[in-house]
Amino acid sequence: MNADPARPQTATGRSAAAAVYRERLSPSLWTLLSAAVAAPMVSLVFVPLDSTVALLAGLAVGAALVGSLVLAAPVIEVRGGELRVGRAHIPVRMLGEASGAVGDEAREVRGPGLPRTAWHLLRPGIDGIVRVRVIDQRDPVDEWIFSTRTPDRVIAAIRRSQRA
C-alpha cells in the first residue's frame, strides 16, 4: 500500500484530506438556456455558406458556451482543514462561528446588510448564504459571505473540519 504516512487514514482507508463538502455553484437553468440561444443565432449567420456548416457551428458554439459556464462556476469545498470558495481559501482554524440564512434574511445580507469589510462571493439564483467570522486579527476581512444551496451542510462541514 502506497499510503503517505503524513496523512492520517480513516476507517475506510481514505485519507483525512478527502473533501468533507463540495458544491459547484453552477448557473441556473435560465442562464444556461439563455446561453444556448446563441446556437441558432450562430447557425443563421452561416446558413448562406452551407446548412451543414451552419448546423455544426451552431451546435459547437452552444455546447462551448454552456460547457464554459458550468466549468467556470465557482466551487465551495471544505477539505484538508481549509475552506475554499472559488479561488479564495482560508484555514478553518482561522474561522469563528458560522451561520446560514435563506429567504428574506439572506436577501437582506446580500443587499443593504452586506458589510463593507466582508469578503463575498454571491451568485444570482442561489437563495442560501453562509456567513463565517474570520478570527485572525491580522486579516483585514471580518467575515466571509458566500452563496450556497445547502447552508446547513456547509456549516456542519466547517464545524467537523474545525474539530478534526
Side-chain angles (χ1 to χ4, degrees):
M1 185 165 158
N2 295 332
D4 182 0
R7 285 190 173 174
Q9 298 288 317
T10 61
T12 61
R14 287 189 236 149
S15 78
V20 176
Y21 179 85
R22 188 171 199 286
E23 173 187 8
R24 181 176 296 275
L25 299 178
S26 52
S28 68
L29 181 59
W30 289 112
T31 303
L32 295 176
L33 286 174
S34 298
V37 168
M41 288 189 264
V42 169
S43 291
L44 286 173
V45 170
F46 288 102
V47 164
L49 296 176
D50 183 29
S51 60
T52 304
V53 171
L55 179 63
L56 292 175
L59 288 174
V61 167
L65 282 174
V66 170
S68 64
L69 282 173
V70 171
L71 291 175
V75 172
I76 298 172
E77 187 173 41
V78 179
R79 175 176 49 108
E82 197 169 61
L83 170 64
R84 292 181 172 274
V85 181
R87 292 184 289 172
H89 55 92
I90 187 169
V92 293
R93 70 179 188 282
M94 299 291 188
L95 298 176
E97 188 60 31
S99 63
V102 293
D104 290 336
E105 186 181 349
R107 199 170 303 113
E108 171 69 24
V109 172
R110 282 192 302 264
L114 186 65
R116 62 180 174 82
T117 57
W119 177 88
H120 58 278
L121 183 120
L122 303 172
R123 290 290 179 249
I126 299 177
D127 185 42
I129 62 155
V130 170
R131 298 177 77 156
V132 185
R133 285 256 167 238
V134 176
I135 58 175
D136 183 5
Q137 298 299 322
R138 298 171 300 167
D139 196 334
V141 173
D142 292 342
E143 65 183 322
W144 280 29
I145 300 174
F146 54 91
S147 297
T148 178
R149 289 182 177 87
T150 56
D152 295 339
R153 289 179 57 198
V154 175
I155 294 167
I158 292 169
R159 288 181 182 152
R160 272 194 313 270
S161 187
Q162 287 173 328
R163 286 191 301 262

